[in-house]
Amino acid sequence: MRSNALKTAHGGLRSLSRRPTSQSSQVASRSYRSFIATPACRTEERKWSTPLARQLTEAINTTGPIPLASYMRMCLTSDIGGYYTGAIEEGRDQFGRKGDFITSPEISQIFGELVGIWFVAEWMSQGRPKQGVELIEFGPGRGTLMDDMLRTMRNFKDMASSIDTVYLVEASNELRTAQKNLLCGEDAVMTESKIGWHSTSKYSSVPIVWTDSIKAIPRDPNKTPFIVAHEFFDALPIHAFQLVDVPRTQATSSSNAPSPNPSTTTAAPTPTRQWRELVVSPTPKGTTYADLKTPRSETNDPVPEFQLTLSPTTTRHAQYLPESSLRYQALKSVPDALIEVCPDASLYASEIATRIGGSTSPTPTSTPKPSQDPFTKPQPSGAALILDYGPASTIPTNSLRGIRAHRRVSPFAAPGLVDLSADVDFSALVEAATRASPGVECHGPVDQAAFLEAMGVRQRADMLVRRAAADNHGNDGGKDNGNGNNSKKAEIERSWRRLVDRGPGGMGKVYKVLAILPENGGRRRPVGFGGDVV
């Protein structure tokens, strides 16, 4: 049974109107195709799909094939035509029905409202602090999720008044402007400082600060950070590795050195198993889809300008990333094993955990690196909610995808115009968070459907349907316009059911939710993960 506090939280939603309409270690058996890196033809002989495609080719021709992570980083955040930061097309909007993809907050306002309620519930469970609360969002998109959260939280006046600052971690100048317009108003002034960019929320005049890195947000042991990351980790660059058998030849004696035993013979070569990195190189001119073994669903466009190849030698990343976790090391016995590793995701998870629970103190014999300076909190506080897609417990493999205009395309085509993403390794996030701070514990991941249903998605949808019917009745002078009411009801029903769809590929099943909380010995489960407000 839901607690009284959670019922109170839902009660606060009754005053909300509808949003304005303007607003382990398992591996796959298949492997990547291995190519010998083929020298690309000269750039002047080819017509490139984007300026970034030409720049990437010139760089690869100079340095050789690049790690998949470097390719993803350039495609998404390059100053020259990056997907989020390059401003290739005037007035481009990646989100929504007219863009490349649509996210949960854009599908239904209920999503952001329930995320806001979750943080209200955590605020209640942690003693209702009267000040020092920080709201932090990674990758806010248009700002829709934070807008729904703030609109919801203002109905809980004590919670709203406890918020000192809202921080938005955003690398794109265009998206920062869109977020400011939604959260502060188009006429609101944005100023710049050493930390980032500043404006004021239209809700309760709360300061909003934009930074391009979480490191720019000051750490304060007396603050209570509430952190949300929705579809953020899936866009972080990944490294991909494949386990291969490499011939190993026993060293022979020098030809001018006498052998102690003339009858001794050289042992037969024995193979050794090594991780090799999958790297990106240009596709040779004349390459066909058959050569690349491209899925039929991605063969409607021109052949991609880049391909994934297997490095013929051990790279620097292959020497240490697959050894960074026991989960990866356990796969050494699996022939042709594939893994995807995201170092940036582990760094973000570590930073989140440190801000909530403080950092792990260095041992007397160790010297912390500058990025690992101890951060002591007298009392762990705050919470983080990570909502993204990926397997609950296994290591992602072959998960890199490209999306353009709401359909799957090759991730190696039209760099800068295609959204790239990969499955999130939730177990790696948990491992990084708990290793970084003894003051946190993790709950989940759970399916998005289970989380939203526990938070009351159906009940909130019923509220919106009743509100829509009442508004329609009032606007028609007391007459009930059945067609209009039915249309709004159908849209509300369709939207929330899409969020909890458990069918194959459904958002309710594919998307997962992970919570990071102050360590309490497992005595309290958070709302949405089998617990109540206490």
Side-chain angles (χ1 to χ4, degrees):
M1 180 180 295
R2 221 182 316 276
S3 69
N4 291 332
L6 188 57
K7 291 179 180 177
T8 302
H10 280 300
L13 282 171
R14 294 191 181 95
S15 59
L16 286 173
S17 61
R18 200 173 176 212
R19 181 197 297 154
T21 55
S22 60
Q23 309 258 337
S24 247
S25 314
Q26 297 177 11
V27 296
S29 59
R30 63 189 176 99
S31 64
Y32 291 92
R33 186 179 180 202
S34 176
F35 292 88
I36 297 298
T38 306
C41 60
R42 292 179 299 171
T43 57
E44 61 266 27
E45 296 177 356
R46 299 184 70 165
K47 182 178 180 181
W48 302 104
S49 59
T50 65
L52 183 56
R54 182 186 182 95
Q55 184 192 44
L56 280 165
T57 300
E58 292 173 346
I60 293 172
N61 286 344
T62 301
T63 65
I66 60 175
L68 180 57
S70 299
Y71 174 80
M72 288 184 67
R73 198 181 307 276
M74 289 286 287
C75 289
L76 295 176
T77 60
S78 171
D79 291 336
I80 301 179
Y83 184 78
Y84 289 108
T85 57
I88 260 185
E89 298 170 332
E90 187 69 25
R92 180 181 181 189
D93 188 355
Q94 299 93 339
F95 306 93
R97 291 180 175 84
K98 295 182 179 180
D100 294 320
F101 55 88
I102 187 167
T103 62
S104 295
E106 306 287 344
I107 292 173
S108 173
Q109 69 181 71
I110 301 175
F111 183 85
E113 291 170 351
L114 296 184
V115 170
I117 287 294
W118 189 87
F119 283 108
V120 172
E122 273 306 306
W123 172 81
M124 292 177 177
S125 294
Q126 296 185 32
R128 303 173 182 250
K130 298 185 181 300
Q131 60 185 5
V133 170
E134 297 175 332
L135 292 184
I136 303 173
E137 183 179 1
F138 297 163
R142 286 174 170 171
T144 307
L145 174 58
M146 182 57 69
D147 186 63
D148 287 336
M149 288 173 59
L150 291 174
R151 180 172 51 82
T152 299
M153 289 175 178
R154 69 176 177 176
N155 290 275
F156 306 90
K157 299 189 183 302
D158 289 343
M159 165 67 174
S161 64
S162 72
I163 301 172
D164 287 353
T165 311
V166 175
Y167 289 100
L168 302 177
V169 181
E170 179 57 69
S172 167
N173 182 58
E174 290 76 18
L175 289 176
R176 281 196 296 267
T177 299
Q179 294 154 16
K180 189 273 296 182
N181 291 342
L182 177 61
L183 298 172
C184 308
E186 295 186 4
D187 296 331
V189 176
M190 179 183 280
T191 59
E192 189 173 355
S193 72
K194 292 182 179 179
I195 296 178
W197 299 262
H198 305 253
S199 193
T200 303
S201 169
K202 63 187 181 185
Y203 301 111
S204 306
S205 299
V206 175
I208 297 183
V209 180
W210 286 262
T211 69
D212 54 14
S213 168
I214 190 175
K215 294 293 186 181
I217 302 175
R219 283 181 178 178
D220 188 333
N222 298 311
K223 298 292 186 181
T224 301
F226 287 137
I227 304 169
V228 62
H230 175 255
E231 289 203 51
F232 171 79
F233 282 90
D234 68 276
L236 296 178
I238 61 169
H239 291 266
F241 303 95
Q242 182 171 353
L243 202 58
V244 299
D245 288 329
V246 179
R248 178 173 58 189
T249 305
Q250 182 176 333
T252 59
S253 302
S254 174
S255 58
N256 57 2
S259 174
N261 185 355
S263 63
T264 301
T265 58
T266 302
T270 56
T272 180
R273 196 161 282 168
Q274 292 183 357
W275 289 105
R276 291 290 171 85
E277 186 164 12
L278 291 155
V279 293
V280 177
S281 63
T283 51
K285 194 173 183 178
T287 300
T288 66
Y289 277 123
D291 296 329
L292 299 176
K293 295 186 177 179
T294 304
R296 181 173 296 180
S297 61
E298 298 176 11
T299 59
N300 297 320
D301 300 306
V303 173
E305 293 153 304
F306 299 90
Q307 62 181 350
L308 200 59
T309 67
L310 188 65
S311 174
T313 59
T314 301
T315 63
R316 177 172 59 91
H317 297 108
Q319 291 177 337
Y320 72 90
L321 284 179
E323 304 299 328
S324 63
S325 170
L326 294 175
R327 299 168 65 233
Y328 310 144
Q329 296 174 24
L331 295 175
K332 274 293 189 74
S333 61
V334 181
D336 299 321
L338 291 166
I339 60 172
E340 293 172 356
V341 183
C342 184
D344 286 4
S346 294
L347 291 175
Y348 273 101
S350 298
E351 181 67 20
I352 290 171
T354 298
R355 288 175 180 269
I356 294 172
S359 63
T360 302
S361 300
T363 61
T365 57
S366 65
T367 302
K369 298 178 181 180
S371 61
Q372 297 175 332
D373 291 338
F375 175 64
T376 303
K377 289 191 75 168
Q379 179 68 36
S381 63
L385 202 60
I386 298 171
L387 308 100
D388 226 310
Y389 51 82
S393 58
T394 58
I395 300 171
T397 61
N398 293 320
S399 73
L400 179 67
R401 60 183 65 80
I403 300 291
R404 188 176 184 186
H406 299 278
R407 66 183 182 91
R408 289 285 292 267
V409 298
S410 170
F412 301 106
L417 292 179
V418 174
D419 176 52
L420 302 182
S421 64
D423 284 357
V424 175
D425 187 345
F426 283 97
S427 294
L429 298 185
V430 171
E431 185 177 296
T434 52
R435 183 173 58 233
S437 174
V440 301
E441 62 183 32
C442 298
H443 294 264
V446 299
D447 289 350
Q448 177 173 287
F451 174 79
L452 293 178
E453 287 168 352
M455 293 300 300
V457 62
R458 182 186 298 272
Q459 291 83 352
R460 176 55 180 157
D462 291 342
M463 289 183 191
L464 289 180
V465 168
R466 290 194 296 269
R467 175 61 62 88
D471 290 345
N472 185 68
H473 186 74
N475 292 335
D476 288 340
K479 296 180 180 180
D480 186 7
N481 185 340
N483 292 334
N485 185 43
N486 289 337
S487 175
K488 290 180 181 179
K489 178 181 178 181
E491 176 61 26
I492 293 170
E493 287 287 325
R494 182 165 53 249
S495 297
W496 81 263
R497 290 186 183 280
R498 181 179 177 185
L499 296 178
V500 298
D501 179 13
R502 288 187 170 91
M507 298 183 75
K509 181 178 181 180
V510 173
Y511 283 79
K512 307 291 190 299
V513 187
L514 175 71
I516 303 177
L517 302 180
E519 202 281 329
N520 65 83
R523 293 183 297 273
R524 178 180 71 85
R525 286 182 174 273
V527 175
F529 296 82
D532 291 323
V533 179
V534 294

